[in-house]
Amino acid sequence: MKSVLQDLPKAGENSNTEPLLPKSTIDVFYDKDCPGCRMDLRKETCLGAPYKELLYIWIIALCVGLPISSLYPYLYFLVKDFNVTKRDEDIGYYAGCVASAYMLGRGLTSVLWGAVADRYGRKPVIIFCCTTMVILTTLFGLSTNFWMAVPIRLLLGASSAIFGPIQAYATEVCREEHQTLALSFTSSAWAIGMIIGPAMGGFLAEPAVKYPNIFTKDSLFARLPYFLPCLCISIWTAAATIACLWLPETLHKHKESNEESHGTGITEKRQDSDEIGSTKSENLFKNWPLMSCIVVYCVFSLHNMAYSEIFSLWAVSPKKYGGLNYSTDNVGEVLSVTGAGLFLFQLAIFPKVERILGPLKVARVCAVLSIVVLASYPSISKLSGTSLLLCINIASLLKSILSTSIFTGFVILQNSTISQSQRGAANGIASTAMSLFKVFGPAGGGILFSLAEKRMNASFLPGTDLIFFILNVNLVIGLVMTFKPFLVLPQRVRSD
């Protein structure tokens, strides 16, 4: 196809819409007032990856991940300070409720934000939700009781349900050969947020106790010991909101009166021929390749969310309950190392591995290796000193790399089943389903953790052995579902 620059509207022409190429060659039009057309033109003429936009996406996706997990290191102590339990063994139940409220709110609004993004654009949805996140994250840090914390977390989750539009934007801002890299940016940011969040919570919670030379006993941070991590996340999100102002829109917006140009831009025909997915008239719920990807994706998400909460609770629980007896600082140090290693892997290694194996095979291999890594956790808790520090850092890093690779692989598979016109809605459905599954992750993890502490002397799967066994059962179920006849993929996607 010859360069589209040769057929752009000449200066001084009155028409906003001109055919890029002779209609007999390709039946598409360029609308200079359409942001989606301008983005398509840019992708046709600029062959490199748009690293500036990908950096913005990374910052925004990180904002979505941070509030989810930042409270995990101090959640046990937060609930204890709320004085809603009579026994320490019951703290896990209430901790699960606080953590699950976020995912419930996210699940209730993900489809809505995806549909709004498909109708009005990705950029306005991202800016609005980021602004709301700043306010609600700050309010959560100011919570003084359980009944205040839960509804604020619910609303925070509702305003954070923009991962679907973010994923759609990531695929639309890049040429097809760079989409794996773009999705690696979004998934790595989310995963690193799930790691840096707990690190921030671990280091910054109770600052008046940890850093008395900086925060006095009479300061606001002494009266509200868990406000500082929330404040720092709000500041980061505010910066991301400002960065959003420079994001170019990718959604096609054509005038309704111009029927000929009401399409999806320069690359419409090429995308429609390359992608096996839905069209504007197709019901997404009848697209089984999409739905099967989403279901498997949700099973792994349930596991990952339960693991994220259980890891922090397990790490800070006493040795007599099979935990590591770590402080929040210790947990923060482990997760900081994990976050740095994960970031390097996702950006430097994962795209190369995905090109060699394909997204589905990557997900399967990583699921198998995750089972092996997770089975070692009960033995790690019996170590101490340097050997414990070394083993827990290695295990945590490997587990996060493997989980994030599974996640990224299924995001790639999911987006291969749909066209641009429904990408926001499809990612919204995936985010809703994932969030609803994740509602049960923290709640189930908290219940499972409390149950494990009450059966330390059981003859079969005592204490933490039960926790990690059930997590592995979840992984096995997800692995089995990645094969036919359950998982069905378009022919263009490598599945062997």
Side-chain angles (χ1 to χ4, degrees), residues 39 42 49-60 169-170 173-174 185 246-248 250:
M39 179 57 68
R42 173 178 166 177
Y51 287 105
K52 184 176 73 172
E53 283 74 20
L54 292 181
L55 177 61
Y56 289 155
I57 293 171
W58 190 89
I59 293 172
I60 296 164
Y169 186 93
V173 80
C174 291
F185 263 78
W246 282 271
L247 283 176
T250 60

Side-chain angles (χ1 to χ4, degrees), residues 268-406:
E268 177 185 14
K269 295 298 180 182
R270 185 177 62 202
Q271 288 177 346
D272 287 348
S273 64
D274 286 350
E275 294 184 4
I276 306 297
S278 59
T279 64
K280 287 186 177 180
S281 61
E282 184 177 359
N283 186 337
L284 288 175
F285 292 99
K286 294 181 180 179
N287 182 343
W288 182 244
L290 172 64
M291 290 295 109
S292 60
C293 280
I294 289 176
V295 173
V296 180
Y297 173 72
C298 288
V299 171
F300 284 116
S301 295
L302 172 65
H303 164 85
N304 195 47
M305 199 66 185
Y307 167 81
S308 295
E309 178 169 354
I310 285 173
F311 179 84
S312 294
L313 292 174
W314 171 65
V316 300
S317 62
K319 281 280 189 180
K320 65 179 181 179
Y321 292 129
L324 304 184
N325 199 31
Y326 268 16
S327 67
T328 55
D329 283 349
N330 297 141
V331 176
E333 290 167 0
V334 172
L335 295 176
S336 295
V337 172
T338 300
L342 176 62
F343 178 77
L344 295 175
F345 175 85
Q346 281 295 114
L347 298 186
I349 301 176
F350 178 82
K352 298 177 182 178
V353 174
E354 190 277 334
R355 280 197 297 270
I356 296 172
L357 299 179
L360 183 55
K361 185 172 288 187
V362 166
R364 288 171 176 168
V365 171
C366 289
V368 173
L369 295 177
S370 290
I371 294 171
V372 176
V373 172
L374 203 56
S376 69
Y377 274 48
S379 300
I380 291 175
S381 65
K382 299 175 183 178
L383 302 175
S384 60
T386 304
S387 57
L388 171 60
L389 180 64
L390 180 62
C391 289
I392 195 59
N393 273 282
I394 293 174
S396 177
L397 175 58
L398 289 176
K399 182 66 176 67
S400 294
I401 286 175
L402 296 171
S403 295
T404 306
S405 297
I406 295 171

Side-chain angles (χ1 to χ4, degrees), residues 91-352:
I91 289 177
Y93 294 105
Y94 290 90
C97 290
V98 175
S100 294
Y102 180 98
M103 300 313 303
L104 177 60
R106 184 172 165 178
L108 293 174
T109 58
S110 291
V111 172
L112 171 64
W113 290 127
V116 172
D118 280 343
R119 179 68 179 85
Y120 298 103
R122 307 349 180 169
K123 182 176 178 177
V125 168
I126 291 172
I127 291 176
F128 176 81
C129 289
C130 284
T131 302
T132 309
M133 286 166 57
V134 173
I135 299 170
L136 292 171
T137 302
T138 303
L139 288 177
F140 180 76
L142 298 173
S143 299
T144 56
N145 59 70
F146 178 79
W147 304 109
M148 178 180 177
V150 170
I152 290 177
R153 284 286 290 182
L154 181 69
L155 293 174
L156 178 59
S159 65
S160 302
I162 55 171
F163 203 67
I166 290 172
Q167 289 174 326
Y169 186 93
T171 60
E172 292 164 2
V173 80
C174 291
R175 293 171 61 88
E176 184 176 356
E177 60 265 29
H178 301 306
Q179 287 183 2
T180 297
L181 175 64
L183 291 173
S184 292
F185 263 78
T186 60
S187 59
S188 67
W190 181 85
I192 289 170
M194 294 291 290
I195 294 168
I196 294 179
M200 291 178 65
F203 286 123
L204 300 179
E206 300 180 311
V209 176
K210 297 175 182 175
Y211 317 109
N213 295 331
I214 302 175
F215 303 95
T216 65
K217 294 182 179 180
D218 299 325
S219 66
L220 173 66
F221 299 103
R223 297 193 301 272
L224 299 168
Y226 311 108
F227 177 56
L228 183 58
C230 295
L231 179 62
C232 291
I233 293 173
S234 294
I235 293 172
W236 175 265
T237 307
T241 306
I242 296 172
C244 290
L245 299 177
W246 282 271
L247 283 176
E249 181 58 70
T250 60
L251 185 67
H252 285 274
K253 298 179 181 179
H254 294 226
K255 293 180 180 179
E256 293 294 336
S257 59
N258 192 340
E259 294 182 359
E260 281 191 319
S261 65
H262 190 74
T264 54
I266 293 171
T267 56
E268 177 185 14
K269 295 298 180 182
R270 185 177 62 202
Q271 288 177 346
D272 287 348
S273 64
D274 286 350
E275 294 184 4
I276 306 297
S278 59
T279 64
K280 287 186 177 180
S281 61
E282 184 177 359
N283 186 337
L284 288 175
F285 292 99
K286 294 181 180 179
N287 182 343
W288 182 244
L290 172 64
M291 290 295 109
S292 60
C293 280
I294 289 176
V295 173
V296 180
Y297 173 72
C298 288
V299 171
F300 284 116
S301 295
L302 172 65
H303 164 85
N304 195 47
M305 199 66 185
Y307 167 81
S308 295
E309 178 169 354
I310 285 173
F311 179 84
S312 294
L313 292 174
W314 171 65
V316 300
S317 62
K319 281 280 189 180
K320 65 179 181 179
Y321 292 129
L324 304 184
N325 199 31
Y326 268 16
S327 67
T328 55
D329 283 349
N330 297 141
V331 176
E333 290 167 0
V334 172
L335 295 176
S336 295
V337 172
T338 300
L342 176 62
F343 178 77
L344 295 175
F345 175 85
Q346 281 295 114
L347 298 186
I349 301 176
F350 178 82
K352 298 177 182 178

Side-chain angles (χ1 to χ4, degrees), residues 443-461:
I447 292 172
L448 183 61
F449 187 81
S450 294
L451 176 64
E453 288 190 339
K454 295 175 182 177
R455 58 188 312 277
M456 294 301 299
N457 298 319
S459 57
F460 178 70
L461 296 176

